[in-house]
Amino acid sequence: MSCRPFNFLSCVLIVCGSKFDSSAAFGLGRWRPQASADIAAAAACSSRRNFCAAIIATSLAAPPANAGSFAPGGTLLDREVSVLYGNEEASPSRQPNNSNVIFNLDQYFKFGSAARWIPPQSTDFPETMPFVPVQQRYDARKKYGERIEKALEQLELIGRTSSASDVPGMDDPVYRLRPLGLAANSFLATENSGNTNQLLLARWYINETYLRIGDYRSALEKGDASEAKRSYECLTKAINSYLALINRQITSKVGDKFRYFGVGSETLQ
């Protein structure tokens, strides 16, 4: 005889020896000792011990591995949240809660993942770019152009040293990373659009540049030339990804595109 679904609650209460009054909690009729059919059905389901153990195990079971995780910004994802997810070359020094970066609200904050690098002059990623008025982009190019060039010069300068003492700390304003973020605000968003995904992406690249400065300096302090080289290479990819993103918003009416990091002083068209 099989356990009848209609009387499943009765099965649980009888076999586990519960005196619970089901009528109060579930609106069902009070179980009656005379309900011999229910008793027989419950007894046929399993022994008391096995049946109750199965009920307890089911209720206390851990959630499935793919139940999902939350990104630092609260987005529920159906995959793991990791500072390296999507790009194994992302800086491992980023805190899981995104607390040790310049711009907290970035790609990782919202999506719980790293971003892919963008090769110089590539337009494959991201697939689309936000609409920003030409005048706004023109003003941004004029206002922040020199500061961005100075930032590139400083990053190139530290790449030519082998001593940590010649590398300013990652928080030193000499790197001018905050102006890079302000420039991104003007090139990739408007007052009406708010924080676009492309802006969050640009901030992620700036944050990676920031973190890699620290990684590079730390490797030099330890005398680890191999790790220092790797960190600087990732720094190069991060800043060039930022420039590729910004350059897509610079047309002939806006001004000259920025040169790419390590390419030289000429402007890339």
Side-chain angles (χ1 to χ4, degrees):
M1 179 183 298
S2 62
C3 184
R4 290 176 292 173
F6 179 79
N7 294 313
F8 176 77
L9 180 60
S10 297
C11 291
V12 176
L13 297 177
I14 297 167
V15 177
C16 294
S18 173
K19 296 181 181 180
F20 182 81
D21 185 354
S22 61
S23 62
F26 298 98
L28 302 176
R30 181 184 299 275
W31 173 75
R32 301 183 304 279
Q34 296 90 339
S36 58
D38 287 348
I39 297 176
C45 288
S46 180
S47 67
R48 286 185 180 181
R49 179 178 300 174
N50 292 339
F51 186 70
C52 291
I55 293 296
I56 295 173
T58 301
S59 63
L60 298 180
N66 62 348
S69 302
F70 286 95
T75 305
L76 178 60
L77 306 168
D78 60 354
R79 55 164 171 76
E80 66 171 326
V81 172
S82 169
V83 298
L84 302 180
Y85 186 90
N87 188 341
E88 291 296 325
E89 290 187 322
S91 174
S93 59
R94 181 187 293 257
Q95 291 295 321
N97 62 358
N98 219 31
S99 61
N100 64 332
V101 295
I102 299 178
F103 302 103
N104 179 262
L105 185 55
D106 67 353
Q107 156 90 15
Y108 174 72
F109 181 86
K110 181 175 181 180
F111 299 108
S113 66
R116 56 189 276 193
W117 303 129
I118 306 177
Q121 305 186 66
S122 173
T123 59
D124 295 336
F125 175 77
E127 293 184 0
T128 61
M129 296 294 287
F131 170 77
V132 177
V134 172
Q135 187 62 48
Q136 179 176 315
R137 287 179 281 149
Y138 174 85
D139 292 341
R141 179 66 178 86
K142 183 177 181 179
K143 182 177 182 179
Y144 298 107
E146 184 177 353
R147 279 181 272 186
I148 291 178
E149 288 294 341
K150 291 294 184 181
L152 298 181
E153 291 175 6
Q154 181 60 40
L155 292 174
E156 289 169 339
L157 181 63
I158 65 172
R160 294 194 288 268
T161 184
S162 58
S163 173
S165 60
D166 294 328
V167 180
M170 56 200 293
D171 290 308
D172 197 306
V174 70
Y175 294 113
R176 296 175 173 81
L177 296 183
R178 291 190 182 279
L180 265 65
L182 296 176
N185 290 343
S186 297
F187 278 110
L188 301 170
T190 65
E191 291 184 0
N192 293 330
S193 70
N195 292 317
T196 63
N197 288 340
Q198 292 83 354
L199 176 56
L200 301 184
L201 189 61
R203 289 173 179 170
W204 187 85
Y205 293 131
I206 298 171
N207 286 335
E208 282 297 303
T209 301
Y210 169 78
L211 292 170
R212 281 304 184 179
I213 292 172
D215 295 340
Y216 176 66
R217 191 172 191 275
S218 178
L220 290 178
E221 288 177 339
K222 297 175 182 177
D224 190 339
S226 177
E227 183 58 30
K229 179 181 178 182
R230 182 175 183 275
S231 295
Y232 193 75
E233 288 175 348
C234 291
L235 180 157
T236 299
K237 293 178 181 179
I239 193 63
N240 276 339
S241 295
Y242 166 84
L243 293 170
L245 200 57
I246 297 300
N247 278 342
R248 284 181 65 178
Q249 295 290 74
I250 300 179
T251 63
S252 59
K253 293 182 178 180
V254 173
D256 294 329
K257 294 181 184 293
F258 292 106
R259 69 181 179 87
Y260 287 98
F261 182 64
V263 173
S265 59
E266 73 278 5
T267 298
L268 297 181
Q269 302 297 329

